[in-house]
Amino acid sequence: MDFGMKNRLSNIINPKTGKTVMLAVDHGYFQGPTTGLKDLRKTVTPLLPLTDCLFITRGMLRTSIDPRSATPICLRVSGGPSVLGELSNEDITTSIEEAIRLNASGVGMSIFVGSKNEDRTISNLGRLVNEAERYGIPVLAITAVGREMVRDARYLSLACRIAAEIGAHFVKTYYCEDFYKIAEGCPVPIVMAGGKKIPERDALQMTFNAIKEGASGVDMGRNIFQSDNPVGMVKAIRAIVHKGASVDEAFEIYSKNKLSSQVVTE
Ligand code: 5RP
């Protein structure tokens, strides 16, 4: 791995802890104005200083993020279909040149293993890796789960391993029972996506389990920005990911922060 690649990866994954807390706010690229992200700037601004890396599309980066922010960017570079269409019909939408212009530390795209267009999304990943490596830019492969797929360790292990074999430098996948089996079969770092909003304590427990079972962090969206206390949630997740906090300790961080923000706003 050359200097540029290592340097950018260490912008995303903290070299001191070997872990990362990424904030995913790319949902609009196929879902439109997702709950919590209608005013993306308002939601994200207070979270940025607590985030190791922001996962976002170029359109929202250009329009809604202060370019003076020091938070590293991982750019979502795939898209095509909306939530109303065939989700696996994705292609690369954003060039490496644009990623460099936007000073991205990494680029990310989805692969749809087992779905209608799995082969095209996987070969697109290969092409993206070829191009990104020319400029020392790490690639995040996201194992998107088609409506017809089961989110279990067997399926997600298959998808993560394929992503790594094709050359992804890190992989994002969902939590499931026996997550450790996915980590065991994947030679590159795995970050966990949060999935649909669940109660805060459950999201913290899921984060704790994923880290314990081999994840290198999270790239979480809805369980942070749809929380009643997004700042408290990021702080709590950071405590688990970077400091090895227990679920009780993390939940206390979330709850205390909620109380103090109520005191300030009331
Ligand atoms: C959508 C994505 C999202 O970034 C990913 O799912 C993380 O967000 P969440 O924690 O809300 O699931 O890649 O395809």
Side-chain angles (χ1 to χ4, degrees), residues 24-27 29-30 55 76 110 142 144 172 174 192-196 219-223 225:
V25 292
D26 60 317
H27 304 61
Y29 91 97
F30 73 106
F55 189 57
R76 150 79 63 183
S110 299
I142 299 142
K172 168 160 72 168
Y174 292 92
M192 182 197 75
K196 281 193 181 135
D219 183 15
M220 197 181 269
R222 288 162 286 180
N223 280 291
F225 63 71

mmCIF file with all atom_site columns, all heavy atoms in Angstrom, residues 24-27 29-30 55 76 110 142 144 172 174 192-196 219-223 225, ligand 1:
data_model
loop_
_atom_site.group_PDB
_atom_site.id
_atom_site.type_symbol
_atom_site.label_atom_id
_atom_site.label_alt_id
_atom_site.label_comp_id
_atom_site.label_asym_id
_atom_site.label_entity_id
_atom_site.label_seq_id
_atom_site.pdbx_PDB_ins_code
_atom_site.Cartn_x
_atom_site.Cartn_y
_atom_site.Cartn_z
_atom_site.occupancy
_atom_site.B_iso_or_equiv
_atom_site.pdbx_formal_charge
_atom_site.auth_seq_id
_atom_site.auth_comp_id
_atom_site.auth_asym_id
_atom_site.auth_atom_id
_atom_site.pdbx_PDB_model_num
ATOM   1   N N   . ALA A 1 24  ? -23.256 8.015  8.443  1.00 0.00 ? 24  ALA A N   1
ATOM   2   C CA  . ALA A 1 24  ? -23.800 7.839  7.095  1.00 0.00 ? 24  ALA A CA  1
ATOM   3   C C   . ALA A 1 24  ? -25.014 8.745  6.904  1.00 0.00 ? 24  ALA A C   1
ATOM   4   O O   . ALA A 1 24  ? -25.992 8.645  7.654  1.00 0.00 ? 24  ALA A O   1
ATOM   5   C CB  . ALA A 1 24  ? -24.211 6.378  6.887  1.00 0.00 ? 24  ALA A CB  1
ATOM   6   N N   . VAL A 1 25  ? -24.921 9.626  5.900  1.00 0.00 ? 25  VAL A N   1
ATOM   7   C CA  . VAL A 1 25  ? -26.056 10.508 5.601  1.00 0.00 ? 25  VAL A CA  1
ATOM   8   C C   . VAL A 1 25  ? -26.340 10.527 4.091  1.00 0.00 ? 25  VAL A C   1
ATOM   9   O O   . VAL A 1 25  ? -26.778 11.535 3.548  1.00 0.00 ? 25  VAL A O   1
ATOM   10  C CB  . VAL A 1 25  ? -25.814 11.950 6.147  1.00 0.00 ? 25  VAL A CB  1
ATOM   11  C CG1 . VAL A 1 25  ? -25.817 11.977 7.664  1.00 0.00 ? 25  VAL A CG1 1
ATOM   12  C CG2 . VAL A 1 25  ? -24.514 12.547 5.607  1.00 0.00 ? 25  VAL A CG2 1
ATOM   13  N N   . ASP A 1 26  ? -26.076 9.390  3.451  1.00 0.00 ? 26  ASP A N   1
ATOM   14  C CA  . ASP A 1 26  ? -26.221 9.301  2.000  1.00 0.00 ? 26  ASP A CA  1
ATOM   15  C C   . ASP A 1 26  ? -27.603 8.808  1.575  1.00 0.00 ? 26  ASP A C   1
ATOM   16  O O   . ASP A 1 26  ? -27.869 8.656  0.385  1.00 0.00 ? 26  ASP A O   1
ATOM   17  C CB  . ASP A 1 26  ? -25.169 8.326  1.443  1.00 0.00 ? 26  ASP A CB  1
ATOM   18  C CG  . ASP A 1 26  ? -25.333 6.919  2.028  1.00 0.00 ? 26  ASP A CG  1
ATOM   19  O OD1 . ASP A 1 26  ? -25.569 6.795  3.252  1.00 0.00 ? 26  ASP A OD1 1
ATOM   20  O OD2 . ASP A 1 26  ? -25.236 5.938  1.269  1.00 0.00 ? 26  ASP A OD2 1
ATOM   21  N N   . HIS A 1 27  ? -28.492 8.548  2.530  1.00 0.00 ? 27  HIS A N   1
ATOM   22  C CA  . HIS A 1 27  ? -29.745 7.845  2.246  1.00 0.00 ? 27  HIS A CA  1
ATOM   23  C C   . HIS A 1 27  ? -30.576 8.469  1.119  1.00 0.00 ? 27  HIS A C   1
ATOM   24  O O   . HIS A 1 27  ? -31.278 7.775  0.397  1.00 0.00 ? 27  HIS A O   1
ATOM   25  C CB  . HIS A 1 27  ? -30.582 7.762  3.527  1.00 0.00 ? 27  HIS A CB  1
ATOM   26  C CG  . HIS A 1 27  ? -29.864 7.123  4.673  1.00 0.00 ? 27  HIS A CG  1
ATOM   27  N ND1 . HIS A 1 27  ? -28.699 7.645  5.196  1.00 0.00 ? 27  HIS A ND1 1
ATOM   28  C CD2 . HIS A 1 27  ? -30.132 6.004  5.393  1.00 0.00 ? 27  HIS A CD2 1
ATOM   29  C CE1 . HIS A 1 27  ? -28.277 6.879  6.185  1.00 0.00 ? 27  HIS A CE1 1
ATOM   30  N NE2 . HIS A 1 27  ? -29.125 5.867  6.330  1.00 0.00 ? 27  HIS A NE2 1
ATOM   31  N N   . TYR A 1 29  ? -29.832 9.454  -1.666 1.00 0.00 ? 29  TYR A N   1
ATOM   32  C CA  . TYR A 1 29  ? -29.460 9.149  -3.060 1.00 0.00 ? 29  TYR A CA  1
ATOM   33  C C   . TYR A 1 29  ? -30.432 8.169  -3.712 1.00 0.00 ? 29  TYR A C   1
ATOM   34  O O   . TYR A 1 29  ? -30.508 8.083  -4.927 1.00 0.00 ? 29  TYR A O   1
ATOM   35  C CB  . TYR A 1 29  ? -28.003 8.647  -3.150 1.00 0.00 ? 29  TYR A CB  1
ATOM   36  C CG  . TYR A 1 29  ? -27.811 7.151  -3.043 1.00 0.00 ? 29  TYR A CG  1
ATOM   37  C CD1 . TYR A 1 29  ? -27.681 6.355  -4.181 1.00 0.00 ? 29  TYR A CD1 1
ATOM   38  C CD2 . TYR A 1 29  ? -27.753 6.521  -1.802 1.00 0.00 ? 29  TYR A CD2 1
ATOM   39  C CE1 . TYR A 1 29  ? -27.516 4.986  -4.089 1.00 0.00 ? 29  TYR A CE1 1
ATOM   40  C CE2 . TYR A 1 29  ? -27.578 5.152  -1.706 1.00 0.00 ? 29  TYR A CE2 1
ATOM   41  C CZ  . TYR A 1 29  ? -27.462 4.390  -2.853 1.00 0.00 ? 29  TYR A CZ  1
ATOM   42  O OH  . TYR A 1 29  ? -27.299 3.026  -2.758 1.00 0.00 ? 29  TYR A OH  1
ATOM   43  N N   . PHE A 1 30  ? -31.184 7.430  -2.907 1.00 0.00 ? 30  PHE A N   1
ATOM   44  C CA  . PHE A 1 30  ? -32.258 6.617  -3.502 1.00 0.00 ? 30  PHE A CA  1
ATOM   45  C C   . PHE A 1 30  ? -33.597 6.774  -2.771 1.00 0.00 ? 30  PHE A C   1
ATOM   46  O O   . PHE A 1 30  ? -34.639 6.450  -3.310 1.00 0.00 ? 30  PHE A O   1
ATOM   47  C CB  . PHE A 1 30  ? -31.853 5.134  -3.603 1.00 0.00 ? 30  PHE A CB  1
ATOM   48  C CG  . PHE A 1 30  ? -31.833 4.402  -2.286 1.00 0.00 ? 30  PHE A CG  1
ATOM   49  C CD1 . PHE A 1 30  ? -32.839 3.490  -1.967 1.00 0.00 ? 30  PHE A CD1 1
ATOM   50  C CD2 . PHE A 1 30  ? -30.811 4.606  -1.384 1.00 0.00 ? 30  PHE A CD2 1
ATOM   51  C CE1 . PHE A 1 30  ? -32.827 2.797  -0.761 1.00 0.00 ? 30  PHE A CE1 1
ATOM   52  C CE2 . PHE A 1 30  ? -30.792 3.928  -0.168 1.00 0.00 ? 30  PHE A CE2 1
ATOM   53  C CZ  . PHE A 1 30  ? -31.800 3.025  0.147  1.00 0.00 ? 30  PHE A CZ  1
ATOM   54  N N   . PHE A 1 55  ? -20.062 9.973  5.558  1.00 0.00 ? 55  PHE A N   1
ATOM   55  C CA  . PHE A 1 55  ? -20.359 9.257  4.311  1.00 0.00 ? 55  PHE A CA  1
ATOM   56  C C   . PHE A 1 55  ? -21.533 9.953  3.628  1.00 0.00 ? 55  PHE A C   1
ATOM   57  O O   . PHE A 1 55  ? -22.654 9.956  4.149  1.00 0.00 ? 55  PHE A O   1
ATOM   58  C CB  . PHE A 1 55  ? -20.673 7.785  4.601  1.00 0.00 ? 55  PHE A CB  1
ATOM   59  C CG  . PHE A 1 55  ? -20.772 6.957  3.350  1.00 0.00 ? 55  PHE A CG  1
ATOM   60  C CD1 . PHE A 1 55  ? -19.709 6.892  2.451  1.00 0.00 ? 55  PHE A CD1 1
ATOM   61  C CD2 . PHE A 1 55  ? -21.918 6.248  3.045  1.00 0.00 ? 55  PHE A CD2 1
ATOM   62  C CE1 . PHE A 1 55  ? -19.789 6.144  1.282  1.00 0.00 ? 55  PHE A CE1 1
ATOM   63  C CE2 . PHE A 1 55  ? -22.010 5.485  1.885  1.00 0.00 ? 55  PHE A CE2 1
ATOM   64  C CZ  . PHE A 1 55  ? -20.938 5.442  0.999  1.00 0.00 ? 55  PHE A CZ  1
ATOM   65  N N   . ARG A 1 76  ? -20.091 8.781  -1.383 1.00 0.00 ? 76  ARG A N   1
ATOM   66  C CA  . ARG A 1 76  ? -20.922 7.763  -2.058 1.00 0.00 ? 76  ARG A CA  1
ATOM   67  C C   . ARG A 1 76  ? -20.871 8.040  -3.560 1.00 0.00 ? 76  ARG A C   1
ATOM   68  O O   . ARG A 1 76  ? -21.261 9.098  -4.006 1.00 0.00 ? 76  ARG A O   1
ATOM   69  C CB  . ARG A 1 76  ? -22.342 7.870  -1.505 1.00 0.00 ? 76  ARG A CB  1
ATOM   70  C CG  . ARG A 1 76  ? -23.463 7.500  -2.432 1.00 0.00 ? 76  ARG A CG  1
ATOM   71  C CD  . ARG A 1 76  ? -23.714 6.036  -2.614 1.00 0.00 ? 76  ARG A CD  1
ATOM   72  N NE  . ARG A 1 76  ? -24.125 5.356  -1.421 1.00 0.00 ? 76  ARG A NE  1
ATOM   73  C CZ  . ARG A 1 76  ? -24.341 4.020  -1.399 1.00 0.00 ? 76  ARG A CZ  1
ATOM   74  N NH1 . ARG A 1 76  ? -24.175 3.293  -2.483 1.00 0.00 ? 76  ARG A NH1 1
ATOM   75  N NH2 . ARG A 1 76  ? -24.698 3.423  -0.292 1.00 0.00 ? 76  ARG A NH2 1
ATOM   76  N N   . SER A 1 110 ? -22.233 0.539  -3.545 1.00 0.00 ? 110 SER A N   1
ATOM   77  C CA  . SER A 1 110 ? -22.931 -0.679 -3.120 1.00 0.00 ? 110 SER A CA  1
ATOM   78  C C   . SER A 1 110 ? -22.737 -1.809 -4.115 1.00 0.00 ? 110 SER A C   1
ATOM   79  O O   . SER A 1 110 ? -22.670 -1.574 -5.322 1.00 0.00 ? 110 SER A O   1
ATOM   80  C CB  . SER A 1 110 ? -24.436 -0.399 -2.997 1.00 0.00 ? 110 SER A CB  1
ATOM   81  O OG  . SER A 1 110 ? -24.666 0.589  -2.034 1.00 0.00 ? 110 SER A OG  1
ATOM   82  N N   . ILE A 1 142 ? -20.188 -1.554 -0.050 1.00 0.00 ? 142 ILE A N   1
ATOM   83  C CA  . ILE A 1 142 ? -21.348 -1.694 0.845  1.00 0.00 ? 142 ILE A CA  1
ATOM   84  C C   . ILE A 1 142 ? -22.168 -2.882 0.371  1.00 0.00 ? 142 ILE A C   1
ATOM   85  O O   . ILE A 1 142 ? -22.551 -2.951 -0.801 1.00 0.00 ? 142 ILE A O   1
ATOM   86  C CB  . ILE A 1 142 ? -22.204 -0.408 0.793  1.00 0.00 ? 142 ILE A CB  1
ATOM   87  C CG1 . ILE A 1 142 ? -21.359 0.769  1.263  1.00 0.00 ? 142 ILE A CG1 1
ATOM   88  C CG2 . ILE A 1 142 ? -23.468 -0.547 1.626  1.00 0.00 ? 142 ILE A CG2 1
ATOM   89  C CD1 . ILE A 1 142 ? -21.613 2.036  0.510  1.00 0.00 ? 142 ILE A CD1 1
ATOM   90  N N   . ALA A 1 144 ? -25.225 -4.099 -0.032 1.00 0.00 ? 144 ALA A N   1
ATOM   91  C CA  . ALA A 1 144 ? -26.656 -3.785 -0.023 1.00 0.00 ? 144 ALA A CA  1
ATOM   92  C C   . ALA A 1 144 ? -27.440 -5.099 -0.064 1.00 0.00 ? 144 ALA A C   1
ATOM   93  O O   . ALA A 1 144 ? -27.053 -6.034 -0.773 1.00 0.00 ? 144 ALA A O   1
ATOM   94  C CB  . ALA A 1 144 ? -26.996 -2.918 -1.218 1.00 0.00 ? 144 ALA A CB  1
ATOM   95  N N   . LYS A 1 172 ? -18.661 -2.302 4.289  1.00 0.00 ? 172 LYS A N   1
ATOM   96  C CA  . LYS A 1 172 ? -19.759 -1.992 5.235  1.00 0.00 ? 172 LYS A CA  1
ATOM   97  C C   . LYS A 1 172 ? -20.839 -3.045 5.096  1.00 0.00 ? 172 LYS A C   1
ATOM   98  O O   . LYS A 1 172 ? -21.283 -3.348 3.992  1.00 0.00 ? 172 LYS A O   1
ATOM   99  C CB  . LYS A 1 172 ? -20.336 -0.615 4.920  1.00 0.00 ? 172 LYS A CB  1
ATOM   100 C CG  . LYS A 1 172 ? -21.650 -0.338 5.638  1.00 0.00 ? 172 LYS A CG  1
ATOM   101 C CD  . LYS A 1 172 ? -21.984 1.130  5.742  1.00 0.00 ? 172 LYS A CD  1
ATOM   102 C CE  . LYS A 1 172 ? -22.404 1.768  4.469  1.00 0.00 ? 172 LYS A CE  1
ATOM   103 N NZ  . LYS A 1 172 ? -22.991 3.106  4.680  1.00 0.00 ? 172 LYS A NZ  1
ATOM   104 N N   . TYR A 1 174 ? -24.252 -5.231 7.467  1.00 0.00 ? 174 TYR A N   1
ATOM   105 C CA  . TYR A 1 174 ? -25.209 -5.153 8.579  1.00 0.00 ? 174 TYR A CA  1
ATOM   106 C C   . TYR A 1 174 ? -24.822 -6.128 9.685  1.00 0.00 ? 174 TYR A C   1
ATOM   107 O O   . TYR A 1 174 ? -24.115 -7.101 9.453  1.00 0.00 ? 174 TYR A O   1
ATOM   108 C CB  . TYR A 1 174 ? -26.617 -5.455 8.065  1.00 0.00 ? 174 TYR A CB  1
ATOM   109 C CG  . TYR A 1 174 ? -27.109 -4.361 7.157  1.00 0.00 ? 174 TYR A CG  1
ATOM   110 C CD1 . TYR A 1 174 ? -26.917 -4.426 5.777  1.00 0.00 ? 174 TYR A CD1 1
ATOM   111 C CD2 . TYR A 1 174 ? -27.703 -3.219 7.674  1.00 0.00 ? 174 TYR A CD2 1
ATOM   112 C CE1 . TYR A 1 174 ? -27.322 -3.403 4.942  1.00 0.00 ? 174 TYR A CE1 1
ATOM   113 C CE2 . TYR A 1 174 ? -28.118 -2.183 6.847  1.00 0.00 ? 174 TYR A CE2 1
ATOM   114 C CZ  . TYR A 1 174 ? -27.920 -2.288 5.490  1.00 0.00 ? 174 TYR A CZ  1
ATOM   115 O OH  . TYR A 1 174 ? -28.308 -1.263 4.675  1.00 0.00 ? 174 TYR A OH  1
ATOM   116 N N   . MET A 1 192 ? -19.926 -1.473 10.549 1.00 0.00 ? 192 MET A N   1
ATOM   117 C CA  . MET A 1 192 ? -21.315 -1.926 10.626 1.00 0.00 ? 192 MET A CA  1
ATOM   118 C C   . MET A 1 192 ? -22.290 -0.799 10.289 1.00 0.00 ? 192 MET A C   1
ATOM   119 O O   . MET A 1 192 ? -22.197 0.292  10.860 1.00 0.00 ? 192 MET A O   1
ATOM   120 C CB  . MET A 1 192 ? -21.601 -2.420 12.053 1.00 0.00 ? 192 MET A CB  1
ATOM   121 C CG  . MET A 1 192 ? -23.011 -2.949 12.223 1.00 0.00 ? 192 MET A CG  1
ATOM   122 S SD  . MET A 1 192 ? -23.496 -3.063 13.973 1.00 0.00 ? 192 MET A SD  1
ATOM   123 C CE  . MET A 1 192 ? -23.785 -1.356 14.384 1.00 0.00 ? 192 MET A CE  1
ATOM   124 N N   . ALA A 1 193 ? -23.221 -1.066 9.386  1.00 0.00 ? 193 ALA A N   1
ATOM   125 C CA  . ALA A 1 193 ? -24.340 -0.140 9.143  1.00 0.00 ? 193 ALA A CA  1
ATOM   126 C C   . ALA A 1 193 ? -25.369 -0.393 10.234 1.00 0.00 ? 193 ALA A C   1
ATOM   127 O O   . ALA A 1 193 ? -25.502 -1.519 10.727 1.00 0.00 ? 193 ALA A O   1
ATOM   128 C CB  . ALA A 1 193 ? -24.951 -0.398 7.769  1.00 0.00 ? 193 ALA A CB  1
ATOM   129 N N   . GLY A 1 194 ? -26.110 0.627  10.582 1.00 0.00 ? 194 GLY A N   1
ATOM   130 C CA  . GLY A 1 194 ? -27.056 0.476  11.689 1.00 0.00 ? 194 GLY A CA  1
ATOM   131 C C   . GLY A 1 194 ? -28.386 -0.131 11.290 1.00 0.00 ? 194 GLY A C   1
ATOM   132 O O   . GLY A 1 194 ? -29.049 -0.777 12.087 1.00 0.00 ? 194 GLY A O   1
ATOM   133 N N   . GLY A 1 195 ? -28.815 0.131  10.030 1.00 0.00 ? 195 GLY A N   1
ATOM   134 C CA  . GLY A 1 195 ? -30.138 -0.323 9.604  1.00 0.00 ? 195 GLY A CA  1
ATOM   135 C C   . GLY A 1 195 ? -31.232 0.569  10.155 1.00 0.00 ? 195 GLY A C   1
ATOM   136 O O   . GLY A 1 195 ? -30.973 1.687  10.621 1.00 0.00 ? 195 GLY A O   1
ATOM   137 N N   . LYS A 1 196 ? -32.465 0.044  10.107 1.00 0.00 ? 196 LYS A N   1
ATOM   138 C CA  . LYS A 1 196 ? -33.633 0.826  10.535 1.00 0.00 ? 196 LYS A CA  1
ATOM   139 C C   . LYS A 1 196 ? -33.492 1.286  11.978 1.00 0.00 ? 196 LYS A C   1
ATOM   140 O O   . LYS A 1 196 ? -32.846 0.617  12.785 1.00 0.00 ? 196 LYS A O   1
ATOM   141 C CB  . LYS A 1 196 ? -34.889 -0.037 10.429 1.00 0.00 ? 196 LYS A CB  1
ATOM   142 C CG  . LYS A 1 196 ? -35.376 -0.130 9.026  1.00 0.00 ? 196 LYS A CG  1
ATOM   143 C CD  . LYS A 1 196 ? -36.785 -0.701 8.964  1.00 0.00 ? 196 LYS A CD  1
ATOM   144 C CE  . LYS A 1 196 ? -37.207 -0.784 7.508  1.00 0.00 ? 196 LYS A CE  1
ATOM   145 N NZ  . LYS A 1 196 ? -37.841 -2.036 7.162  1.00 0.00 ? 196 LYS A NZ  1
ATOM   146 N N   . ASP A 1 219 ? -20.544 2.601  10.385 1.00 0.00 ? 219 ASP A N   1
ATOM   147 C CA  . ASP A 1 219 ? -20.906 3.675  9.455  1.00 0.00 ? 219 ASP A CA  1
ATOM   148 C C   . ASP A 1 219 ? -22.414 3.770  9.598  1.00 0.00 ? 219 ASP A C   1
ATOM   149 O O   . ASP A 1 219 ? -23.174 3.165  8.853  1.00 0.00 ? 219 ASP A O   1
ATOM   150 C CB  . ASP A 1 219 ? -20.492 3.333  8.023  1.00 0.00 ? 219 ASP A CB  1
ATOM   151 C CG  . ASP A 1 219 ? -20.794 4.478  7.063  1.00 0.00 ? 219 ASP A CG  1
ATOM   152 O OD1 . ASP A 1 219 ? -21.047 5.616  7.528  1.00 0.00 ? 219 ASP A OD1 1
ATOM   153 O OD2 . ASP A 1 219 ? -20.775 4.250  5.840  1.00 0.00 ? 219 ASP A OD2 1
ATOM   154 N N   . MET A 1 220 ? -22.838 4.505  10.615 1.00 0.00 ? 220 MET A N   1
ATOM   155 C CA  . MET A 1 220 ? -24.230 4.445  11.063 1.00 0.00 ? 220 MET A CA  1
ATOM   156 C C   . MET A 1 220 ? -24.974 5.717  10.696 1.00 0.00 ? 220 MET A C   1
ATOM   157 O O   . MET A 1 220 ? -24.414 6.804  10.738 1.00 0.00 ? 220 MET A O   1
ATOM   158 C CB  . MET A 1 220 ? -24.226 4.250  12.583 1.00 0.00 ? 220 MET A CB  1
ATOM   159 C CG  . MET A 1 220 ? -25.541 3.763  13.131 1.00 0.00 ? 220 MET A CG  1
ATOM   160 S SD  . MET A 1 220 ? -25.439 3.592  14.929 1.00 0.00 ? 220 MET A SD  1
ATOM   161 C CE  . MET A 1 220 ? -24.933 1.911  15.104 1.00 0.00 ? 220 MET A CE  1
ATOM   162 N N   . GLY A 1 221 ? -26.238 5.542  10.336 1.00 0.00 ? 221 GLY A N   1
ATOM   163 C CA  . GLY A 1 221 ? -27.057 6.682  9.960  1.00 0.00 ? 221 GLY A CA  1
ATOM   164 C C   . GLY A 1 221 ? -28.274 6.855  10.840 1.00 0.00 ? 221 GLY A C   1
ATOM   165 O O   . GLY A 1 221 ? -28.263 7.571  11.846 1.00 0.00 ? 221 GLY A O   1
ATOM   166 N N   . ARG A 1 222 ? -29.367 6.125  10.502 1.00 0.00 ? 222 ARG A N   1
ATOM   167 C CA  . ARG A 1 222 ? -30.672 6.386  11.125 1.00 0.00 ? 222 ARG A CA  1
ATOM   168 C C   . ARG A 1 222 ? -30.663 6.245  12.636 1.00 0.00 ? 222 ARG A C   1
ATOM   169 O O   . ARG A 1 222 ? -31.370 6.978  13.326 1.00 0.00 ? 222 ARG A O   1
ATOM   170 C CB  . ARG A 1 222 ? -31.730 5.453  10.501 1.00 0.00 ? 222 ARG A CB  1
ATOM   171 C CG  . ARG A 1 222 ? -32.064 5.859  9.082  1.00 0.00 ? 222 ARG A CG  1
ATOM   172 C CD  . ARG A 1 222 ? -32.742 4.768  8.316  1.00 0.00 ? 222 ARG A CD  1
ATOM   173 N NE  . ARG A 1 222 ? -31.801 3.708  7.948  1.00 0.00 ? 222 ARG A NE  1
ATOM   174 C CZ  . ARG A 1 222 ? -32.114 2.615  7.273  1.00 0.00 ? 222 ARG A CZ  1
ATOM   175 N NH1 . ARG A 1 222 ? -33.364 2.410  6.904  1.00 0.00 ? 222 ARG A NH1 1
ATOM   176 N NH2 . ARG A 1 222 ? -31.200 1.715  6.964  1.00 0.00 ? 222 ARG A NH2 1
ATOM   177 N N   . ASN A 1 223 ? -29.869 5.302  13.173 1.00 0.00 ? 223 ASN A N   1
ATOM   178 C CA  . ASN A 1 223 ? -29.864 5.156  14.636 1.00 0.00 ? 223 ASN A CA  1
ATOM   179 C C   . ASN A 1 223 ? -29.130 6.296  15.329 1.00 0.00 ? 223 ASN A C   1
ATOM   180 O O   . ASN A 1 223 ? -29.156 6.388  16.554 1.00 0.00 ? 223 ASN A O   1
ATOM   181 C CB  . ASN A 1 223 ? -29.308 3.795  15.045 1.00 0.00 ? 223 ASN A CB  1
ATOM   182 C CG  . ASN A 1 223 ? -30.394 2.734  14.904 1.00 0.00 ? 223 ASN A CG  1
ATOM   183 O OD1 . ASN A 1 223 ? -31.354 2.736  15.670 1.00 0.00 ? 223 ASN A OD1 1
ATOM   184 N ND2 . ASN A 1 223 ? -30.276 1.895  13.891 1.00 0.00 ? 223 ASN A ND2 1
ATOM   185 N N   . PHE A 1 225 ? -29.075 9.835  13.480 1.00 0.00 ? 225 PHE A N   1
ATOM   186 C CA  . PHE A 1 225 ? -29.778 11.091 13.154 1.00 0.00 ? 225 PHE A CA  1
ATOM   187 C C   . PHE A 1 225 ? -31.289 11.019 13.373 1.00 0.00 ? 225 PHE A C   1
ATOM   188 O O   . PHE A 1 225 ? -31.945 12.057 13.396 1.00 0.00 ? 225 PHE A O   1
ATOM   189 C CB  . PHE A 1 225 ? -29.388 11.621 11.754 1.00 0.00 ? 225 PHE A CB  1
ATOM   190 C CG  . PHE A 1 225 ? -29.755 10.740 10.583 1.00 0.00 ? 225 PHE A CG  1
ATOM   191 C CD1 . PHE A 1 225 ? -31.069 10.576 10.176 1.00 0.00 ? 225 PHE A CD1 1
ATOM   192 C CD2 . PHE A 1 225 ? -28.753 10.111 9.854  1.00 0.00 ? 225 PHE A CD2 1
ATOM   193 C CE1 . PHE A 1 225 ? -31.389 9.793  9.082  1.00 0.00 ? 225 PHE A CE1 1
ATOM   194 C CE2 . PHE A 1 225 ? -29.058 9.317  8.749  1.00 0.00 ? 225 PHE A CE2 1
ATOM   195 C CZ  . PHE A 1 225 ? -30.393 9.168  8.364  1.00 0.00 ? 225 PHE A CZ  1
HETATM 196 C C1  . 5RP B 2 .   ? -27.580 2.996  2.250  1.00 0.00 ? 1   5RP B C1  1
HETATM 197 C C2  . 5RP B 2 .   ? -26.306 3.083  2.969  1.00 0.00 ? 1   5RP B C2  1
HETATM 198 C C3  . 5RP B 2 .   ? -26.295 3.719  4.288  1.00 0.00 ? 1   5RP B C3  1
HETATM 199 O O1  . 5RP B 2 .   ? -25.197 4.579  4.343  1.00 0.00 ? 1   5RP B O1  1
HETATM 200 C C4  . 5RP B 2 .   ? -26.173 2.659  5.348  1.00 0.00 ? 1   5RP B C4  1
HETATM 201 O O2  . 5RP B 2 .   ? -27.261 1.819  5.285  1.00 0.00 ? 1   5RP B O2  1
HETATM 202 C C5  . 5RP B 2 .   ? -25.952 3.228  6.765  1.00 0.00 ? 1   5RP B C5  1
HETATM 203 O O3  . 5RP B 2 .   ? -27.063 3.833  7.233  1.00 0.00 ? 1   5RP B O3  1
HETATM 204 P P1  . 5RP B 2 .   ? -28.036 3.157  8.304  1.00 0.00 ? 1   5RP B P1  1
HETATM 205 O O4  . 5RP B 2 .   ? -27.232 3.043  9.590  1.00 0.00 ? 1   5RP B O4  1
HETATM 206 O O5  . 5RP B 2 .   ? -29.168 4.143  8.428  1.00 0.00 ? 1   5RP B O5  1
HETATM 207 O O6  . 5RP B 2 .   ? -28.440 1.810  7.791  1.00 0.00 ? 1   5RP B O6  1
HETATM 208 O O7  . 5RP B 2 .   ? -25.284 2.648  2.512  1.00 0.00 ? 1   5RP B O7  1
HETATM 209 O O8  . 5RP B 2 .   ? -27.445 2.171  1.153  1.00 0.00 ? 1   5RP B O8  1
#
